[in-house]
C-alpha cells in the first residue's frame, strides 16, 4: 500500500517561514543525480510512446491534493506562476519574471507572460490564477494544503468560516487577498511578509483553474475519466485518457508555453498505475513498461540483471528513517536507555540485510547534502553500533545485562515486508546485544499513524522526508517541546532555544551553525529518534529513454525526474 | 439434503451398550482404514503434527531459534548440513521457521475447524430444535452473515482486531476472523440433518419409548448428523489455512518474528528471483498439508456415506 | 415458484439492511480515520475535512445519514438505472457507485472467466478420471487438480508470470484483456495475452474442487440402478454416459456453483494486484487500509446483494434440473 508516499510536503513551511528571512534555495549541486546519459550521445527524437510505472492519484484536483502520485501527475498537466528548477531555485513559469514585492513585503505583483493559452485554445488569464488560489481557500473544497496559503489575507477566514451562507461565502471569497488587476497581472496581499512565498507560487495548490470551464470555486473538479473532456490544461501535457486503477495517457499540449524552452516530444506518455513493484519489474522485462521502480527486495539480482548505470539507477532521496522513541514512557525517558538502543543497532548490517543495501546507513538526522546536515558517519562514535558501550549505557541506566528492564516494551510497525523485517532485525539486535525482549506490534498503515499521532506507542519506525531544501524543515515543529507535530515528547531546552532564536535569523551562517548543533543534540541525546538510514530511490530505465533527470526535490515524487516530465523522450 | 437418511442407532455413542458393534461409526472406521490414500494422508498429517509440535518445543529438533538473525553466517542460502533447509533473507534458519510456520498454520486450520464445528452445531442444532420461531431467527441471522463476501469480511474484521491485545495474540485473532465466516456452512448442514433426522423412524421410535428430548438430541440425532458435518469441517481446515495465506499476502498475517506457512510463502515468493529455496520448502509443506486434508476429507466422506466408495 | 422468487427477493431488503448495519458497526470499530495517514496534516485542516464528510458527527448520526442516502434512490437520466446513493469516497473524492461500477465490470469478467475455466476443465478432468478410474489418466488428472488445491494463487501467478510471460514471452504481465460486455461472445475481442494467466491463476483452485466433486459424483451415478438398467437394455456406452451419467452428476456441482462464483468474483483481489488489473478487489482492500468508509460500505453492500442473487439463481436452476426439489 502506498501510504508512505502520502502528503509529506510543505505543511510546515508557512508556520515557520512567516518569520524566516531565508530563501529555501541553498544550492544542492553535486547531489542531483542524473540517471540519464549526460554524454550527449542520446539525442531525443520527435515522437515515440513512453509507458512508465506510477501510482494512481487520489484526485486530479491540485487544490485538494496532498498525495505524491497526485502531485506528480498534476505537474505534468498544469503549471503555476513559478516553478522550482533542479537546484531548487524559483524560476518564472507562467509569470514573465520574478514578482515585484512591495517594500513591506506584503504585496506581490506578478505579470503573466503574453499570449498564454489553455490546451483548448482559451486564453489563460490572471483570473484563472486568482481562481486557483480561491479554490484552495474555499471551504467547500476543503483543500488539504490550504494551510500553505495561510499568510494570504482572508484565506483562513474563508476556509474556516462556520457554516457560512452563500452570501457570506461570496463576501469571504471577495475578501481573499488575491485579485486580477488586468488579464495579465495578479496581485496577492499577504497578512505578513513571507520571503518563501514565491515557492508557494510554484506549488500545485496555486495552479490555475480553467475558469471558462469551472467558473465557481466551489465546483467539484472533474474526476479522472471525465477530465480529458471536462478540463483544460496549461502544463506540458494534456490528458487524453484516464482509466481508473489502470492508466492515464497524456499527449503533448500544443499550447504549452515552455518557460525554459523544453517541450514534450513524445506522441504519448502513459502512466500505468501499478502498486506491486515485482509485477512492474516483470512488465519492464517484457517491455510493457519502459520505466519501473526497482523492487528493492531483490535489489542485488536486479543490479546484476540490468547493470548499474546501464538500466538500473540509484538516486538520493532527501529522507531519513530511524527508530523513534516515546520519551514520555519509562524507561525511554532515560537517555542512557535510548543511547543503549541506538548503539545496539548495526546500521550497515540493517541496510545490507533488511534493505538489500538499498539505502545509506547513517547516524545523522539531517542528511549530509542538506545545508547544516552531517555525514552519515559523523556521529558513529557516540551513537553508532557499539555493543559494549550499549551494554554499559544500559547498566548505567540501572539494567545491567538487561536485568530488570521492563517487559512489554513494544515496537509499533506497519505491515509492509520491509517494516516487518526491520522490526525483526531490531528485536533480534536488542535481544542479542542488550539481552532485552521487546514485542513487535504490526498494524496497518492507518492504525499505525493513528497510534503515532496520539503518541500511543513505545518504539516506532518512522522518519521524515524534507519539504524543501533547508535544515529547518528537518527540525522545526518536530523537536520543540510541545510542538504540534512533536510526536516523541522530545524536550530539550537547548533545542528549543536554538530554534526559537534562529527561525528569523538573517545571518545565514549562524543560522546553519545553529541547526547543525540542533542535529547534533537530537542525535547525541537520542531526542526522539535514532536515525538508521537515508532512503535512496531505485529505478529501472530502458536505454532508449532520455531526459529523466532527478533532483532531490520532494516534488520529484514518483518517477525519476517527474518534476520536469516535459524533458522525457526517446532516443533512436 | 442428500445425506438425510435414517441410519442405525449409533450404539457406540449411546454409552451403556458398550459391547455391541453394528453401528455406523465402527463401519465407517473400518471403511476409512481400508482407504489407502486417506490412511496415508492421516499418517502424514500425524507425522507433520508431531514434528511441528516437537520442533516448537524441543531445541534439539528445532536446532535454531526461528527469530534469531544469523546473517553473519549468510543469507538466502540453500540447504546444507548446518541449515537443513537453508537460511532466509535475514539469515534465519528456514528449518526452524518452517516448523514454527507449520505449527501456526495447523493451529489456524484446526482452530477454525473447531470453532466452526462448535458454533455451527450449536446454532444449527438450536435452530432445528427450537421450533419455527427460533429456527427462523437463527437461520435468518446465518443467512445475513452468509451473504458477506468471505474474504472481504475477513479482511475487514482483521483490520478491526489488528493490534488489539487479545489472549493468544495474533494467531487467535486470525483464527477468530476466519472462523467468523466459516461456521455458517456447518450450521446449515447441521440444521438440515437434524430436521430430517427428527422425522426418521428410529427417532420416532426412541421418542415412543419415552426417551427425553435431551437424550434424543445428544445420543440419537447428533451422532448421526455428525458424519457430513465432520466431512465439511475437515474440508474447512485447508480452506482456513489458505485464507490465512491470503491474509499474509496482503500484510495481515501473524506479527513478526512469528510466521505462518502463509507468511513464509509470501516472503519466499517475493525473493524468488534471488533464491527459490525460501518458496520451495514452506510451499511444499503447505502443499502436503493441503493434499492430506483433502484426501482425508475424501476418505471420511466415503467412509461416512456408504453409498459412494 | 414465482411466489418463492418474489419472497426471496423481498427477503433481500432486511438482509441488506443487516449487512449494511453490521458492516457499518464493524468498520467504525477499526481504529483510525480516513485522514489519519496523512503525515503532516495540521489539526485544523483535518477537522475541516472531517466536517466536510460528516465525520465529525457522532457515529449514530453518520449511520442515519448513510442509511437515509442509501434508501433515497437517485435516478439518473443516462443510463436510466436506479442507483442507490452509496456516498463518496473520502480518499478519492469520487462517487462510490462509479468506483464500483467501473471495477465490477472487470472483476465480474475475470471471475466469470475463471468460473467457466474451472467448470470446463474441472468437469472434463472429473469425467475423464471417473471413466478411467485408477488408470494413469486418473492419476494425471488428480495431479493436475492437486496443483490447484495445494498451491496459493499468488504463487501460481508469480511463477506463471516468470515462466510464461518473462521467459517464454507468451503472455503479458499487466492488465486485463476483456472486451466490452456486448463483445463478450466474440473471441477476437478478447486480448488473450492478458487473459490466460490471471484466469488460470484464479481458476485452478475451483477447477480442482469441481474435478473432485465431478469424479465422486460420476462414480456414484455409475453405480445407480438406472445406469445398470440402461446398460442391460443395450444402450451404447456413449449414450449412457452423456444422457444419464453426466447429466445426473451435475446436480451436486450446481449446489457449490453459486458460492463458488461469488467467491471468485469477490475474491480476485490477489490476482488483480499481481496483474495490476483494475477490478474492485484493490479498491476494497485499499479502502480498508485507508478507512475509506464509503468504499467499504458500498462494496460490501453491493457484493452481499450479488452473493444473495447468485445463490437465488442457483437455487432456481437447481429446481429446474432436479425435479425432486420443492419449494415451501
Amino acid at each position: 500500500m502506498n501510504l508512505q508516499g502520502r502528503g509529506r510536503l510543505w505543511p510546515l513551511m508557512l508556520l515557520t517561514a512567516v518569520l524566516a528571512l531565508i530563501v529555501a534555495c541553498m544550492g544542492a549541486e553535486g547531489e542531483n543525480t542524473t540517471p540519464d546519459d549526460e554524454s550527449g550521445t542520446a539525442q531525443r527524437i520527435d515522437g515515440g510512446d513512453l509507458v512508465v510505472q506510477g501510482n494512481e492519484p487520489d484526485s486530479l484536483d491540485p487544490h485538494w491534493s496532498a498525495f505524491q502520485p497526485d502531485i506528480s501527475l498534476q505537474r505534468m498537466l498544469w503549471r503555476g506562476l513559478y516553478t522550482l528548477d533542479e537546484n531548487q531555485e524559483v524560476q518564472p513559469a507562467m509569470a514573465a519574471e520574478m514578482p515585484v514585492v512591495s517594500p513591506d513585503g506584503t504585496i506581490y505583483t506578478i505579470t503573466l507572460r503574453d499570449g498564454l493559452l489553455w490546451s483548448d485554445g482559451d486564453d489563460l488569464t490572471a483570473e484563472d490564477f486568482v481562481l486557483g488560489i480561491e479554490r484552495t481557500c474555499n471551504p467547500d473544497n476543503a483543500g488539504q494544503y490550504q494551510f500553505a496559503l495561510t499568510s494570504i489575507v482572508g484565506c483562513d477566514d474563508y476556509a474556516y468560516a462556520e457554516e457560512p451562507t452563500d452570501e457570506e461565502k461570496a463576501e469571504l471569497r471577495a475578501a481573499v487577498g488575491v485579485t486580477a488587476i488586468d488579464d495579465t497581472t495578479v496581485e496577492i496581499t499577504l497578512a505578513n511578509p513571507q520571503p518563501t512565498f514565491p515557492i508557494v507560487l510554484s506549488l500545485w495548490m496555486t495552479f490555475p483553474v480553467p475558469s471558462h470551464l469551472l467558473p465557481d470555486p466551489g465546483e467539484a473538479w472533474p474526476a479522472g475519466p471525465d477530465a480529458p473532456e471536462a478540463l483544460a490544461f496549461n502544463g506540458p501535457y494534456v490528458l487524453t485518457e484516464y482509466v481508473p486503477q489502470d492508466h492515464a495517457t497524456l499527449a503533448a499540449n500544443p499550447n504549452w508555453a515552455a518557460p525554459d524552452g523544453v517541450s514534450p516530444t513524445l506522441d504519448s506518455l502513459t502512466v500505468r498505475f501499478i502498486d506491486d513493484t515485482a509485477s512492474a519489474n516483470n512488465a519492464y522485462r517484457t517491455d510493457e513498461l519502459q520505466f519501473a521502480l526497482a523492487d528493492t527486495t531483490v535489489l542485488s539480482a536486479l543490479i546484476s540483471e540490468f547493470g548499474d548505470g546501464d538500466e538500473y539507477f540509484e538516486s538520493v532521496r532527501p529522507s531519513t528513517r530511524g527508530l523513534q522513541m516515546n520519551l514520555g514512557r519509562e524507561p525511554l525517558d532515560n537517555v542512557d536507555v535510548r543511547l543503549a538502543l541506538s548503539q545496539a543497532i548495526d546500521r550497515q548490517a540493517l541496510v545490507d540485510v533488511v534493505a538489500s543495501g538499498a539505502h545509506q546507513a547513517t547516524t545523522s538526522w539531517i542528511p549530509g547534502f542538506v545545508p547544516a546536515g552531517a555525514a552519515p558517519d559523523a556521529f558513529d562514535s557516540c551513537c553508532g553500533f557499539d555493543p559494549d558501550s550499549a551494554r554499559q549505557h544500559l547498566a548505567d541506566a540501572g539494567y545491567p545485562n538487561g536485568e530488570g528492564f521492563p517487559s512489554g516494551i513494544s515496537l509499533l510497525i506497519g505491515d509492509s515486508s520491509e517494516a516487518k523485517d526491520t522490526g525483526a532485525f531490531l528485536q533480534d539486535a536488542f535481544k542479542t546485544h542488550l539481552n532485552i525482549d521487546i514485542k513487535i506490534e504490526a498494524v496497518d498503515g492507518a492504525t499505525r499513524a493513528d497510534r503515532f499521532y496520539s503518541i500511543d506507542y513505545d518504539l516506532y519506525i518512522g522518519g521524515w522526508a524534507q519539504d524543501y531544501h533547508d535544515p529547518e524543515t528537518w527540525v522545526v515543529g518536530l523537536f520543540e517541546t510541545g510542538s504540534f507535530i512533536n510526536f516523541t515528547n522530545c524536550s530539550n531546552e537547548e533545542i528549543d532555544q536554538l530554534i526559537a532564536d534562529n527561525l528569523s535569523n538573517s545571518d545565514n551562517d549562524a543560522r546553519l551553525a545553529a541547526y547543525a548543533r540542533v542535529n547534533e543534540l537530537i542525535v547525541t541525546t537520542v531526542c526522539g529518534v535514532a536515525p538508521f538510514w537515508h532512503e535512496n530511490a531505485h529505478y529501472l530505465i530502458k536505454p532508449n529513454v532520455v531526459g529523466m533527470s532527478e533532483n532531490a526535490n520532494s516534488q520529484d515524487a514518483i518517477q525519476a525526474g517527474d518534476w520536469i516530465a516535459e524533458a522525457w523522450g526517446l532516443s533512436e | 439434503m442428500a445425506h438425510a437418511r435414517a441410519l442405525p442407532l449409533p450404539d457406540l455413542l449411546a454409552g451403556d451398550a458398550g459391547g455391541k458393534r453394528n453401528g455406523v461409526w465402527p463401519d465407517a472406521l473400518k471403511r476409512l482404514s481400508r482407504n489407502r490414500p486417506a490412511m496415508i494422508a492421516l499418517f502424514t498429517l500425524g507425522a507433520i503434527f508431531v514434528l511441528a509440535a516437537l520442533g516448537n518445543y524441543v531445541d534439539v529438533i528445532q536446532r535454531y531459534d526461528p527469530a534469531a538473525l544469523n546473517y553473519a553466517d549468510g543469507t538466502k542460502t540453500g540447504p546444507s548440513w548446518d541449515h537443513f533447509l537453508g537460511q532466509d533473507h535475514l539469515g534465519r534458519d528456514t528449518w526452524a521457521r518452517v516448523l514454527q510456520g507449520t505449527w501456526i498454520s495447523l493451529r489456524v486450520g484446526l482452530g477454525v475447524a473447531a470453532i466452526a464445528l462448535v458454533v455451527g452445531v450449536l446454532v444449527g442444532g438450536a435452530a432445528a430444535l427450537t421450533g419455527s420461531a427460533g429456527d427462523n431467527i437463527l437461520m435468518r441471522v446465518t443467512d445475513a452473515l452468509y451473504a458477506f463476501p468471505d474474504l472481504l469480511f475477513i479482511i475487514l474484521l482483521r483490520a478491526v482486531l489488528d493490534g488489539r491485545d487479545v489472549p493468544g495474540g495474533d494467531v487467535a485473532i486470525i483464527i477468530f476472523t476466519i472462523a467468523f465466516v466459516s461456521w455458517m456452512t456447518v450450521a446449515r448442514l447441521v440444521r438440515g440433518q437434524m430436521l430430517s433426522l427428527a422425522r426418521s423412524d428410529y427417532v420416532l421410535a426412541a421418542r415412543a419409548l419415552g426417551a427425553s428430548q435431551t437424550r434424543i438430541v445428544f445420543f440419537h440425532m447428533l451422532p448421526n448428523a455428525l458424519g457430513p458435518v465432520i466431512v465439511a469441517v475437515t474440508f474447512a481446515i485447508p480452506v482456513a489455512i489458505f485464507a490465512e495465506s491470503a491474509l499474509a499476502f496482503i500484510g495481515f498475517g501473524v506479527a513478526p518474528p512469528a510466521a505462518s506457512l502463509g507468511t513464509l510463502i509470501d516472503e519466499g515468493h517475493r525473493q524468488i528471483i534471488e533464491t527459490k529455496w525460501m518458496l520451495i520448502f514452506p510451499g511444499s509443506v503447505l502443499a502436503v498439508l493441503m493434499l492430506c486434508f483433502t484426501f482425508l476429507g475424501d476418505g471420511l466422506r466415503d467412509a461416512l456415506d456408504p453409498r459412494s466408495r | 415458484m414465482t411466489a418463492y422468487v418474489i419472497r426471496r427477493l423481498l427477503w433481500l431488503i432486511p438482509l441488506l439492511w443487516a449487512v449494511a448495519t453490521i458492516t457499518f458497526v464493524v468498520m467504525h470499530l477499526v481504529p483510525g480515520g480516513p485522514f489519519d495517514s496523512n503525515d503532516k496534516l495540521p489539526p485544523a485542516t483535518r477537522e475541516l475535512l472531517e466536517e466536510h464528510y460528516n465525520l465529525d458527527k457522532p457515529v449514530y448520526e453518520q449511520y442515519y445519514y448513510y442509511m437515509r442516502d442509501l434508501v433515497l434512490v437517485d435516478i439518473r437520466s443516462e443510463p436510466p438505472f436506479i442507483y442507490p446513493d452509496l456516498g463518496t469516497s473520502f480518499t478519492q473524492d469520487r462517487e462510490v457507485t462509479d468506483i464500483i461500477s467501473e471495477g465490477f465490470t472487470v472483476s465480474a469478467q475475470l471471475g466469470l472467466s475463471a468460473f467457466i475455466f474451472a467448470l470446463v476443465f474441472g468437469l472434463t478432468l472429473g469425467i475423464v478420471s471417473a471413466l478411467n478410474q485408477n488408470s494413469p489418466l486418473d492419476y494425471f488428472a488428480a495431479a493436475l487438480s492437486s496443483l490447484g488445491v495445494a498451491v496459493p494463487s499468488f504463487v501460481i501467478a508469480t511463477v506463471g508470470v516468470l515462466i510464461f510471460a518473462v521467459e517464454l514471452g507468451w503472455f503479458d504481465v499487466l492488465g486485463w484483456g476483456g472486451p466490452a460486455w456486448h463483445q463478450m461472445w466474440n473471441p477476437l475481442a478478447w486480448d488473450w495475452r492478458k487473459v490466460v494467466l490471471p484466469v488460470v491463476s484464479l481458476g485452478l483452485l475451483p477447477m480442482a474442487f469441481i474435478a473432485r466433486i465431478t469424479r465422486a459424483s460420476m462414480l456414484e451415478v455409475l453405480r445407480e440402478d438406472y445406469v445398470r438398467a440402461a446398460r442391460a437394455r443395450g444402450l451404447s456406452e456413449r449414450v449412457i454416459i452423456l444422457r444419464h451419467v453426466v447429466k445426473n452428476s451435475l446436480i451436486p456441482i450446481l449446489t457449490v456453483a453459486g458460492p463458488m462464483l461469488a467467491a471468485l468474483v469477490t475474491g480476485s483481489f490477489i490476482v488483480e494486484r499481481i496483474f495490476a488489473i483494475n477490478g474492485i478487489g484493490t479498491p476494497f482492500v485499499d479502502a480498508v487500509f485507508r478507512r475509506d468508509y464509503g468504499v467499504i460500505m458500498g462494496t460490501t453492500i453491493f457484493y452481499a446483494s450479488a452473493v444473495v442473487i447468485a445463490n437465488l439463481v442457483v437455487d432456481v436452476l437447481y429446481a429446474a434440473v432436479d425435479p425432486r426439489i420443492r419449494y415451501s
Side-chain angles (χ1 to χ4, degrees):
Chain A
M1 302 301 111
N2 231 327
L3 291 161
Q4 285 201 349
R6 160 167 309 274
R8 32 175 70 251
L9 309 175
W10 302 95
L12 272 182
M13 192 173 67
L14 271 275
L15 272 160
T16 60
V18 177
L19 301 165
L21 292 171
I22 49 100
V23 191
C25 44
M26 311 298 158
E29 292 92 334
E31 296 304 329
N32 299 325
T33 55
T34 307
D36 198 42
D37 186 358
E38 279 189 315
S39 61
T41 52
Q43 274 298 320
R44 197 157 72 129
I45 55 157
D46 263 344
D49 302 297
L50 181 63
V51 186
V52 300
Q53 180 194 1
N55 301 113
E56 173 147 35
D58 283 346
S59 163
L60 288 181
D61 182 353
H63 311 107
W64 183 80
S65 288
F67 189 30
Q68 289 193 341
D70 301 29
I71 294 153
S72 171
L73 193 58
Q74 286 160 7
R75 269 189 65 85
M76 298 176 191
L77 299 173
W78 294 283
R79 208 47 71 81
L81 291 163
Y82 297 92
T83 191
L84 294 170
D85 68 10
E86 66 175 347
N87 299 323
Q88 325 275 352
E89 300 201 40
V90 177
Q91 303 291 352
M94 297 296 121
E97 53 208 35
M98 294 304 286
V100 178
V101 188
S102 66
D104 67 350
T106 57
I107 299 178
Y108 280 65
T109 310
I110 298 146
T111 310
L112 269 59
R113 295 159 65 193
D114 286 330
L116 292 174
L117 293 175
W118 286 101
S119 56
D120 59 3
D122 232 80
D123 288 338
L124 171 61
T125 65
E127 192 54 49
D128 297 328
F129 285 96
V130 170
L131 192 60
I133 289 173
E134 286 174 349
R135 267 194 106 246
T136 302
C137 302
N138 184 312
D140 297 332
N141 189 40
Q144 300 184 65
Y145 267 74
Q146 179 276 332
F147 59 85
L149 304 182
T150 296
S151 62
I152 297 178
V153 165
C155 182
D156 280 2
D157 296 339
Y158 189 26
Y160 296 107
E162 289 283 340
E163 306 194 1
T165 62
D166 285 352
E167 285 139 40
E168 283 167 346
K169 268 194 242 174
E171 274 171 38
L172 288 164
R173 179 189 165 193
V176 175
V178 52
T179 46
I181 305 288
D182 57 44
D183 271 0
T184 55
T185 313
V186 181
E187 189 183 273
I188 301 171
T189 311
L190 304 186
N192 301 295
Q194 182 191 345
T196 51
F197 192 69
I199 298 176
V200 177
L201 296 176
S202 318
L203 304 179
W204 61 99
M205 79 292 288
T206 63
F207 284 176
V209 176
S211 57
H212 56 293
L213 301 171
L214 297 170
D216 177 10
E219 206 165 336
W221 200 258
D226 308 323
E229 295 297 318
L231 282 171
F233 310 93
N234 79 319
Y237 294 95
V238 298
L239 187 64
T240 55
E241 189 188 28
Y242 187 102
V243 180
Q245 287 192 74
D246 201 81
H247 68 274
T249 304
L250 288 67
N253 177 356
N255 297 333
W256 164 237
D260 47 6
V262 182
S263 293
T265 53
L266 293 167
D267 291 331
S268 77
L269 167 62
T270 302
V271 181
R272 185 68 172 82
F273 309 138
I274 306 161
D275 287 339
D276 190 313
T277 43
S279 298
N281 293 354
N282 284 331
Y284 179 87
R285 292 187 180 98
T286 59
D287 293 332
E288 288 168 69
L289 293 175
Q290 286 137 298
F291 164 91
L293 302 167
D295 181 4
T296 51
T297 317
V298 290
L299 198 62
S300 47
L302 289 180
I303 294 174
S304 54
E305 181 180 350
F306 293 107
D308 197 353
D310 296 334
E311 292 187 49
Y312 160 81
F313 300 94
E314 179 178 20
S315 83
V316 179
R317 273 280 156 87
S319 160
T320 302
R321 310 281 298 167
L323 176 66
Q324 303 206 265
M325 307 178 191
N326 178 357
L327 275 57
R329 295 254 172 106
E330 281 184 29
L332 300 167
D333 53 348
N334 185 330
V335 66
D336 279 313
V337 170
R338 303 200 298 271
L339 279 168
L341 295 179
S342 179
Q343 291 197 319
I345 305 172
D346 184 350
R347 289 160 173 80
Q348 193 56 50
L350 177 68
V351 167
D352 290 343
V353 170
V354 170
S356 316
H359 307 306
Q360 165 73 58
T362 190
T363 41
S364 171
W365 174 245
I366 306 180
F369 61 86
V370 177
D377 58 357
F379 303 105
D380 280 4
S381 56
C382 86
C383 318
F385 181 54
D386 186 344
D388 294 331
S389 171
R391 276 188 288 273
Q392 187 56 50
H393 277 296
L394 198 65
D396 292 348
Y399 310 109
N401 193 30
E403 283 158 31
F405 194 81
S407 61
I409 295 291
S410 77
L411 171 64
L412 184 66
I413 59 170
D415 53 17
S416 72
S417 52
E418 186 178 87
K420 287 178 176 172
D421 289 346
T422 309
F425 183 97
L426 294 177
Q427 187 184 45
D428 176 73
F430 298 151
K431 178 74 190 163
T432 309
H433 303 305
L434 301 175
N435 193 31
I436 58 176
D437 288 303
I438 60 159
K439 203 176 88 184
I440 294 179
E441 286 181 90
V443 296
D444 72 48
T447 306
R448 169 174 164 270
D450 189 48
R451 296 261 312 265
F452 183 60
Y453 297 147
S454 47
I455 323 188
D456 174 21
Y457 70 94
D458 303 317
L459 301 169
Y460 177 84
I461 295 171
W464 195 251
Q466 83 175 21
D467 288 338
Y468 49 107
H469 206 64
D470 189 272
E472 68 181 17
T473 179
W474 288 90
V475 296
V476 175
L478 288 164
F479 294 97
E480 303 99 303
T481 308
S483 169
F484 85 99
I485 50 169
N486 177 346
F487 298 119
T488 59
N489 287 318
C490 166
S491 177
N492 179 305
E493 276 178 29
E494 196 181 347
I495 292 178
D496 292 352
Q497 197 59 46
L498 282 166
I499 293 177
D501 289 350
N502 286 282
L503 271 176
S504 51
N505 191 348
S506 58
D507 178 349
N508 202 41
D509 291 341
R511 197 179 66 90
L512 293 182
Y515 284 122
R517 171 71 182 147
V518 172
N519 186 36
E520 187 184 338
L521 285 168
I522 292 167
V523 173
T524 53
T525 66
V526 199
C527 206
V529 63
F532 51 64
W533 72 48
H534 300 306
E535 274 181 320
N536 288 355
H538 304 266
Y539 308 116
L540 302 175
I541 306 174
K542 292 280 180 194
N544 65 337
V545 178
V546 296
M548 288 194 152
S549 134
E550 279 286 275
N551 78 1
N553 189 324
S554 41
Q555 281 193 90
D556 196 359
I558 307 292
Q559 298 92 359
D562 53 0
W563 65 281
I564 178 162
E566 58 265 38
W568 295 352
L570 298 176
S571 64
E572 289 298 348
Chain B
M1 279 292 133
H3 297 287
R5 57 180 56 234
L7 294 170
L9 257 175
D11 291 339
L12 178 69
L13 296 173
D16 47 0
K20 284 187 265 173
R21 282 291 173 272
N22 60 349
V24 61
W25 290 93
D27 275 0
L29 276 181
K30 207 184 288 169
R31 276 196 295 274
L32 185 64
S33 65
R34 280 202 300 263
N35 184 326
R36 193 178 294 161
M39 289 320 282
I40 293 174
L42 191 61
F43 282 119
T44 313
L45 282 174
I48 292 178
F49 188 89
V50 171
L51 188 61
L54 290 177
N56 274 270
Y57 298 107
V58 180
D59 290 345
V60 186
I61 294 175
Q62 192 174 34
R63 299 179 90 224
Y64 291 89
D65 174 0
L69 276 61
N70 307 308
Y71 50 83
D73 304 358
T75 55
K76 305 184 190 180
T77 55
S80 67
W81 192 243
D82 283 341
H83 297 278
F84 289 161
L85 306 184
Q87 288 166 283
D88 74 359
H89 58 302
L90 302 183
R92 292 175 291 203
D93 180 64
T94 304
W95 166 257
R97 298 263 289 164
V98 167
L99 286 174
Q100 185 190 32
T102 309
W103 187 234
I104 290 177
S105 285
L106 280 172
R107 275 164 63 200
V108 169
L110 297 173
V112 168
I115 295 180
L117 182 67
V118 171
V119 178
V121 166
L122 286 180
V123 173
L129 299 170
T130 47
S132 92
D135 183 38
N136 245 324
I137 294 170
L138 283 171
M139 280 299 111
R140 293 299 84 92
V141 171
T142 310
D143 280 353
L145 291 173
Y146 203 68
F148 278 101
D150 286 359
L151 214 42
L152 301 193
F153 202 61
I154 290 177
I155 292 168
L156 188 59
L157 269 183
R158 180 78 179 88
V160 174
L161 298 170
D162 202 15
R164 287 183 201 239
D165 226 353
V166 173
D170 271 30
V171 178
I173 290 176
I174 289 170
I175 290 174
F176 174 78
T177 51
I178 300 176
F180 198 88
V181 299
S182 305
W183 60 266
M184 283 84 81
T185 320
V186 179
R188 292 177 146 198
L189 201 56
V190 170
R191 171 179 171 269
Q193 290 282 308
M194 293 290 219
L195 282 181
S196 55
L197 284 174
R199 286 191 292 270
S200 66
D201 297 342
Y202 71 96
V203 169
L204 294 177
R207 195 162 284 151
L209 289 171
S212 72
Q213 175 78 356
T214 324
R215 190 181 163 81
I216 289 173
V217 170
F218 283 99
F219 290 113
H220 297 169
M221 289 167 69
L222 206 51
N224 281 304
L226 229 43
V229 173
I230 285 177
V231 174
V233 166
T234 309
F235 285 126
I237 297 172
V239 172
I241 294 177
F242 247 38
E244 195 279 333
S245 77
L247 283 179
F249 174 80
I250 61 164
F252 264 161
V254 292
S260 67
L261 286 177
T263 323
L264 294 175
I265 291 169
D266 177 53
E267 284 173 358
H269 102 281
R270 290 174 202 282
Q271 303 284 350
I272 192 168
I273 309 258
E274 290 197 348
T275 173
K276 300 191 171 41
W277 300 116
M278 280 176 64
L279 177 60
I280 287 174
F281 292 120
S284 314
V285 177
L286 182 81
V288 169
L289 282 184
M290 290 292 130
L291 292 177
C292 286
F293 278 115
T294 308
F295 287 138
L296 183 63
D298 280 343
L300 281 171
R301 187 189 53 215
D302 292 350
L304 291 166
D305 183 357
R307 286 178 309 160
S308 56
R309 73 183 61 88
Chain C
M1 182 75 175
T2 318
Y4 171 79
V5 171
I6 290 172
R7 213 169 52 233
R8 285 278 300 261
L9 284 174
L10 283 178
W11 166 232
L12 199 61
I13 295 166
L15 191 92
L16 287 183
W17 169 79
V19 167
T21 306
I22 294 172
T23 312
F24 194 91
V25 172
V26 167
M27 184 175 80
H28 280 272
L29 290 173
V30 186
F35 300 104
D36 279 350
S37 41
N38 199 332
D39 290 24
K40 299 179 183 173
L41 215 55
T45 313
R46 187 174 307 176
E47 274 166 31
L48 198 69
L49 281 163
E50 292 183 346
E51 202 180 306
H52 186 69
Y53 292 111
N54 278 334
L55 293 173
D56 56 334
K57 306 269 192 313
V59 172
Y60 61 85
E61 243 178 85
Q62 294 184 40
Y63 176 74
Y64 166 74
Y65 287 128
Y66 190 87
M67 285 303 174
R68 189 195 58 189
D69 291 347
L70 194 62
V71 174
L72 296 175
V73 292
D74 162 28
I75 304 167
R76 300 179 184 187
S77 51
E78 52 175 355
F81 295 129
I82 301 171
Y83 289 97
D85 181 2
L86 295 175
T88 319
S89 158
F90 304 131
T91 51
Q92 293 181 55
D93 211 25
R94 293 179 60 208
E95 291 287 315
V96 173
T97 35
D98 290 346
I99 295 175
I100 290 177
S101 62
E102 284 155 10
F104 179 68
T105 311
V106 173
S107 288
Q109 277 190 359
L110 173 58
L112 268 176
S113 311
F115 181 69
I116 292 167
F117 165 84
L119 213 54
V120 170
F121 285 88
L123 284 175
T124 312
L125 283 178
I127 292 170
V128 166
S129 42
L131 294 179
N132 304 279
Q133 203 185 352
N134 298 329
S135 75
L137 215 54
D138 188 13
Y139 295 131
F140 171 75
L144 202 60
S145 52
S146 300
L147 190 69
V149 177
V151 185
S153 61
F154 60 88
V155 176
I156 294 175
T158 305
V159 175
V161 164
L162 285 175
I163 295 175
F164 297 104
V166 174
E167 285 303 316
L168 298 173
W170 294 355
F171 304 117
D172 284 353
V173 178
L174 298 177
W176 174 243
W181 282 108
H182 64 274
Q183 294 262 304
M184 275 286 275
W185 307 114
N186 175 6
L188 293 178
W190 292 74
D191 183 351
W192 295 103
R193 284 181 64 90
K194 291 183 186 299
V195 167
V196 174
L197 282 179
V199 166
V200 173
S201 311
L202 187 59
L204 271 181
L205 176 63
M207 180 202 81
F209 193 52
I210 289 179
R212 279 186 28 241
I213 297 180
T214 311
R215 181 177 178 276
S217 162
M218 283 273 292
L219 291 178
E220 192 175 316
V221 173
L222 280 169
R223 280 190 298 269
E224 292 282 351
D225 294 341
Y226 59 83
V227 175
R228 284 185 209 155
R231 283 220 175 92
R233 269 162 44 211
L235 288 181
S236 82
E237 191 67 15
R238 200 185 135 87
V239 172
I240 294 171
I241 300 294
L242 284 180
R243 194 168 298 164
H244 297 283
V245 180
V246 172
K247 192 177 157 225
N248 285 303
S249 311
L250 286 185
I251 293 170
I253 313 268
L254 262 179
T255 56
V256 297
M260 181 181 288
L261 181 58
L264 280 177
V265 174
T266 61
S268 56
F269 67 82
I270 288 179
V271 169
E272 285 175 18
R273 190 173 157 81
I274 288 180
F275 292 96
I277 290 173
N278 53 336
I280 192 76
T282 314
F284 179 84
V285 176
D286 282 355
V288 173
F289 281 118
R290 292 170 63 176
R291 312 291 184 265
D292 193 338
Y293 298 140
V295 176
I296 296 175
M297 288 296 290
T299 322
T300 315
I301 292 171
F302 177 77
Y303 269 139
S305 355
V307 170
V308 172
I309 292 171
N311 285 337
L312 175 60
V313 169
V314 167
D315 285 352
V316 171
L317 273 180
Y318 199 48
V321 175
D322 188 347
R324 286 172 299 180
I325 306 286
R326 287 282 172 277
Y327 294 103
S328 52

